[in-house]
């Protein structure tokens, strides 16, 4: 089938279902709630939705532990509500992509239950190893969430591998039967009408033969043996050839620790097996590899990450662009300033919305939601956060530990969306499943709708502009003044038009600078973040977009 690559003209909205909008009053976000908000999402200029997992799940990792791949959880409204949302989206000309989580399942999945009892054909669906002498672990790999990557199962009398939580056993993708199951899942949803998949940690699915000890790295032990593993391209090619190529769909692969160079092995438009990747470098301007190793925010690191991906992919591949998702704290609390919430939110929006790629917006990002700041660690629920809190930095003072959680936990971005300043922030009429950020009285959709100068309206204007200008889709990217620690300046150029984005990341006035060849006197200021007319200096976190036509 000829690839239309329609995703290049789109902007996506990510829904993390539990916290988006409750439609039936049980306190948990659901698809009825989504249905109520489709017009809102459309009004942002978004053309599609990525749903974090909606499948039946015990919820050990908020749905990333799947117990049944071919159904929708009853708490989200089941298949009936899903069909209604899918139809509602398609009727609006919008697309829907599902989260495909096949590195692991829930330990409550029927396959695992049968595998632990050695019932065929499930016996080798997972990665089982006998204990070594004295009960020793099969190797020294670490999971990302809960200590060792191995857990002993009394039923089978062997260890199973889990690269994430204990309740998330890894599938054995080397088993052709497992790959057939993946293809069945893909076909099931594509036949139902979905438009593509975001593939959870898909670069982890092929583990190195022999599962060797890792004697090198102090962190992420084992990762060099399972990230981009020996058969990864073979398996992805198989999924593409046998299923994906037969549908008009796209794939977006989550890829921890991938460089632009390596990404081309996956997403080069001529040879790749998938369409776009979620890279993590753009999330590391204020940390060392993970949010749990925080550093001071460096604009230069952020610019470098963005630019490196733009330069290396230009003309060869197309990628997704993002600032937030459900796995990281809120971006204003990290790269911006809560004191200049609207201003820094706008600068961040302009920093990525005019790059080449398909932008994704995470629920609540468009209204500038900030990190939740509870007064007790006991309120955190995320499996990774609970582990970190009980196993790391336990000698720190209570205040320091709370600060660390606020700064690093994924729960900081998982509180319910703040729709209005009424009870429960308009999220539910019942008791919310999770805490609501008390700042909902100031930060909510209703209030932003009523203020023409709000961040929400800025997102709308920027997206509209992005879609109206070919130079944003196809222009050549160039970063200017890259050593400047306070300004992010980049241009996009086509033979007949060019665009310049200038964003200040400072709380103080900054001298405005234009690169050679970009004279504001003969260009047009087409977007600005302050409503008062532009000065010859930049105000705190000011963002401007200029445009020239030949
Ligand atoms: C990445 C997902 O985005 C995250 O939320 C999840 O916990 C892990 N993969 C494990 O599935």
């Amino acid at each position: 089938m000829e690839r239309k690559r329609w995703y290049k003209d789109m902007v996506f909205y990510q829904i993390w279902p539990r916290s988006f909008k409750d439609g039936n009053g049980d306190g948990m976000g659901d698809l009825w709630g989504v249905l109520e908000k489709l017009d809102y999402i459309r009004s942002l200029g978004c053309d599609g939705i990525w749903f974090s997992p909606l499948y039946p799940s015990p919820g050990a990792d908020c749905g990333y532990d799947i117990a049944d791949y071919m159904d929708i959880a009853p708490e989200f409204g089941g298949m009936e509500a899903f069909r209604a949302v899918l139809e509602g989206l398609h009727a609006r000309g919008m697309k829907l992509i599902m989260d495909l989580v096949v590195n692991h399942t829930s330990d409550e999945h029927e396959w695992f239950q049968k595998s632990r009892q050695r019932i065929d054909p499930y016996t080798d669906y997972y990665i089982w190893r006998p204990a070594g002498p004295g009960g020793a672990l099969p190797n020294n790999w670490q999971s990302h969430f809960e200590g060792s990557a191995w857990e002993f199962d009394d039923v089978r009398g062997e260890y199973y591998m889990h690269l994430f939580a204990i309740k998330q056993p890894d599938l054995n993708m080397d088993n052709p039967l497992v790959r057939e199951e993946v293809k069945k899942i893909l076909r099931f949803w594509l036949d139902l009408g979905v438009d593509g998949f975001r593939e959870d940690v898909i670069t982890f699915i092929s583990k190195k033969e022999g599962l060797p000890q890792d004697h090198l790295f102090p962190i992420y032990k084992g990762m060099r043996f399972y990230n981009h593993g020996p058969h990864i391209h073979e398996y992805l090619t198989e999924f593409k050839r046998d299923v994906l190529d037969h549908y008009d769909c796209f794939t977006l692969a989550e890829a921890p620790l991938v460089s632009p160079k390596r990404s081309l092995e996956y997403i080069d438009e001529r040879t790749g097996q998938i369409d776009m990747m979620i890279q993590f470098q753009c999330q590391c301007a204020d940390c060392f590899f993970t949010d749990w190793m925080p550093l001071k925010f460096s604009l230069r690191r952020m610019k470098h990450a963005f630019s490196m991906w733009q330069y290396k992919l230009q003309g060869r591949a197309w990628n997704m662009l993002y600032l937030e998702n459900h796995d990281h704290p809120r971006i204003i609390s990290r790269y911006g300033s809560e004191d200049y919430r609207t201003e820094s939110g706008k600068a961040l929006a302009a920093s990525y919305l005019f790059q080449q790629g398909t932008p994704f917006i995470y629920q609540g990002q468009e209204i500038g939601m900030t990190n939740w700041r509870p007064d007790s660690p006991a309120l955190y629920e995320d499996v990774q956060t609970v582990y970190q809190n009980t196993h790391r930095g336990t000698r720190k003072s209570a205040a320091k530990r709370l600060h660390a959680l606020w700064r690093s936990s994924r729960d900081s971005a998982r509180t319910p969306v703040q729709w209005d300043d009424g009870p429960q922030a308009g999220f539910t009429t019942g008791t919310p499943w999770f805490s609501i950020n008390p700042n909902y009285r100031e930060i909510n959709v209703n209030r932003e709708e009523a203020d023409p100068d709000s961040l929400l309206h800025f997102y709308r204007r920027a997206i509209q502009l992005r879609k109206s200008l070919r130079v944003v889709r196809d222009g050549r990217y160039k970063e200017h003044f890259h050593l400047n620690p306070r300004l992010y300046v980049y241009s996009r150029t086509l033979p007949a038009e060019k665009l310049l984005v200038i964003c200040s990341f400072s709380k103080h006035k900054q001298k405005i600078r234009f690169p050679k060849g970009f004279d504001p006197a003969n260009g047009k200021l087409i977007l600005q973040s302050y409503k008062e007319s532009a000065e010859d200096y930049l105000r705190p976190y000011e963002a401007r977009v200029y445009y020239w036509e030949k």
Side-chain angles (χ1 to χ4, degrees):
M1 177 179 288
E2 208 219 315
R3 303 295 316 280
K4 297 200 190 71
R5 301 194 191 273
W6 34 259
Y7 53 83
K8 290 190 175 178
D9 296 301
M10 298 176 64
V11 176
F12 270 79
Y13 191 81
Q14 184 199 345
I15 291 188
W16 196 72
R18 290 176 169 227
S19 285
F20 181 67
K21 171 78 177 125
D22 177 17
N24 68 354
D26 67 356
M28 172 84 82
D30 55 38
L31 289 163
W32 302 119
V34 172
L35 206 55
E36 282 173 41
K37 298 293 179 191
L38 289 186
D39 286 329
Y40 166 75
I41 297 170
R42 185 80 194 121
S43 80
L44 299 172
C46 292
D47 314 274
I49 295 180
W50 152 28
F51 277 106
S52 278
L54 292 163
Y55 318 93
S57 154
D61 184 18
C62 292
Y64 282 89
D65 48 322
I66 297 171
D68 181 355
Y69 288 93
M70 314 263 203
D71 204 354
I72 297 290
E75 66 268 27
F76 293 141
M79 272 296 185
E80 189 197 342
F82 180 76
R83 283 206 178 85
V85 167
L86 186 60
E87 271 169 32
L89 283 169
H90 286 167
R92 288 167 177 81
M94 297 167 76
K95 306 276 188 191
L96 185 160
I97 65 168
M98 296 292 271
D99 218 310
L100 177 81
V101 188
V102 292
N103 175 66
H104 44 268
T105 69
S106 161
D107 63 347
E108 296 182 31
H109 194 291
E110 191 194 342
W111 301 339
F112 188 76
Q113 291 304 321
K114 293 198 166 144
S115 191
R116 71 201 305 206
Q117 298 174 64
R118 298 177 199 260
I119 298 177
D120 276 336
Y122 304 102
T123 310
D124 294 325
Y125 264 40
Y126 294 85
I127 305 175
W128 294 100
R129 289 294 180 275
L137 298 167
N139 68 24
N140 65 350
W141 296 8
Q142 287 292 304
S143 79
H144 291 256
F145 289 171
E146 293 187 292
S148 161
W150 296 96
E151 183 72 9
F152 193 75
D153 181 57
D154 287 330
V155 177
R156 173 141 167 169
E158 284 189 315
Y159 282 103
Y160 65 85
M161 180 188 287
H162 64 91
L163 293 179
F164 291 89
I166 292 168
K167 282 182 69 60
Q168 291 171 300
D170 276 49
L171 281 164
N172 174 16
M173 206 57 76
D174 296 332
N175 181 343
L177 294 178
V178 172
R179 300 203 297 280
E180 285 310 315
E181 299 281 8
V182 173
K183 292 183 226 170
K184 272 192 223 158
I185 299 167
L186 292 169
R187 285 192 200 102
F188 176 83
W189 293 103
L190 290 165
D191 287 340
L192 221 94
V194 314
D195 305 290
F197 298 91
R198 176 266 188 190
E199 302 183 342
D200 191 68
V201 289
I202 200 75
T203 57
F204 289 5
I205 60 173
S206 166
K207 282 84 173 163
K208 187 174 165 74
E209 287 85 358
L211 312 178
Q213 287 282 104
D214 191 346
H215 297 295
L216 262 189
F217 291 124
I219 55 166
Y220 295 138
K221 261 205 182 309
M223 193 153 166
R224 66 199 175 99
F225 295 128
Y226 61 77
N227 197 18
H228 315 293
H231 301 287
I232 181 68
H233 296 292
E234 197 184 304
Y235 297 162
L236 293 175
T237 302
E238 185 178 324
F239 299 151
K240 182 171 183 293
R241 181 197 63 214
D242 292 355
V243 185
L244 300 164
D245 274 350
H246 305 280
Y247 295 83
D248 183 19
C249 65
F250 81 86
T251 47
L252 164 65
E254 187 191 25
L257 289 190
V258 69
S259 64
K261 184 164 174 247
R262 175 159 244 159
S263 81
L264 289 169
E265 295 169 12
Y266 294 87
I267 60 174
D268 187 301
E269 286 191 358
R270 289 157 310 141
T271 53
Q273 311 99 64
I274 51 182
D275 296 303
M276 303 188 264
M277 294 195 111
I278 305 179
Q279 50 89 1
F280 282 62
Q281 272 100 337
C282 68
Q283 292 297 320
C284 294
D286 66 348
C287 61
F288 182 66
F289 283 127
T290 133
D291 292 302
W292 293 98
M293 292 197 241
L295 298 170
K296 194 168 173 291
F297 169 65
S298 152
L299 179 66
R300 276 170 57 179
R301 262 207 309 276
M302 183 190 97
K303 298 196 291 188
H304 178 70
F306 280 149
S307 298
M308 188 175 63
W309 278 85
Q310 292 288 303
Y311 289 138
K312 298 259 164 73
L313 266 44
Q314 214 140 248
R316 294 188 63 183
W318 182 273
N319 213 13
M320 66 92 78
L321 306 164
Y322 77 110
L323 291 175
E324 287 193 5
N325 65 34
H326 64 293
D327 285 335
H328 305 280
R330 293 283 182 187
I331 204 70
I332 291 177
S333 304
R334 298 176 54 194
Y335 292 7
S337 156
E338 291 187 2
D339 296 337
Y340 291 90
R341 191 182 64 82
T342 302
E343 295 83 350
S344 65
K346 290 177 181 176
L348 282 158
S351 296
Y352 90 115
L353 286 176
F354 295 98
Q355 292 184 33
Q356 183 161 66
T358 300
F360 279 63
I361 296 170
Y362 174 60
Q363 61 187 37
Q365 176 189 328
E366 75 280 16
I367 57 164
M369 282 177 65
T370 55
N371 281 2
W372 171 55
R373 199 185 282 274
D375 50 19
S376 160
L379 293 171
Y380 285 90
E381 291 195 8
D382 162 42
V383 56
Q384 181 192 40
T385 308
V386 170
Y387 185 86
Q388 292 286 334
N389 185 43
T390 42
H391 290 82
R392 285 184 47 177
T394 43
R395 270 178 278 151
K396 283 190 190 144
S397 70
K400 280 205 171 129
R401 283 176 66 181
L402 261 178
H403 181 79
L405 291 170
W406 168 87
R407 161 63 192 86
S408 303
S409 171
R410 310 191 288 184
D411 277 345
S412 293
R414 292 180 170 190
T415 54
V417 170
Q418 298 161 197
W419 295 101
D420 59 42
D421 62 2
Q424 317 301 359
F427 164 68
T428 178
T429 51
T431 307
W433 75 277
F434 195 41
S435 306
I436 289 183
N437 193 326
N439 67 15
Y440 73 91
R441 291 187 189 82
E442 294 80 51
I443 306 173
N444 60 65
V445 174
N446 260 7
R447 193 165 167 159
E448 302 255 326
E449 288 283 12
D451 174 6
D453 197 32
S454 66
L455 179 59
L456 174 64
H457 285 296
F458 186 81
Y459 264 96
R460 284 197 178 114
R461 284 197 291 275
I463 291 171
Q464 205 187 7
L465 205 56
R466 171 183 173 96
K467 290 185 166 178
S468 66
L469 297 173
R470 206 167 76 84
V471 69
V472 183
R473 186 189 191 273
D474 298 328
R476 182 157 280 276
Y477 172 95
K478 183 167 170 24
E479 187 192 329
H480 305 270
F481 315 123
H482 71 278
L483 293 177
N484 189 310
R486 285 175 286 273
L487 299 187
Y488 181 26
V489 182
Y490 65 95
S491 56
R492 306 291 310 283
T493 311
L494 282 177
E497 49 179 342
K498 58 189 182 186
L499 183 97
L500 184 74
V501 180
I502 305 179
C503 304
S504 164
F505 278 75
S506 169
K507 296 180 179 169
H508 306 286
K509 278 189 195 172
Q510 295 296 315
K511 188 167 170 295
I512 191 158
R513 300 185 59 184
F514 291 89
K516 234 172 107 194
F518 293 84
D519 180 357
N522 51 40
K524 264 197 282 188
L525 178 57
I526 55 170
L527 182 69
Q528 56 177 330
S529 61
Y530 277 74
K531 64 173 183 282
E532 302 82 22
S533 63
E535 308 283 345
D536 54 4
Y537 59 84
L538 293 166
R539 290 156 284 194
Y541 290 98
E542 181 164 357
R544 297 187 197 175
V545 180
Y546 290 86
Y547 179 72
W548 290 261
E549 240 170 340
K550 280 199 187 130

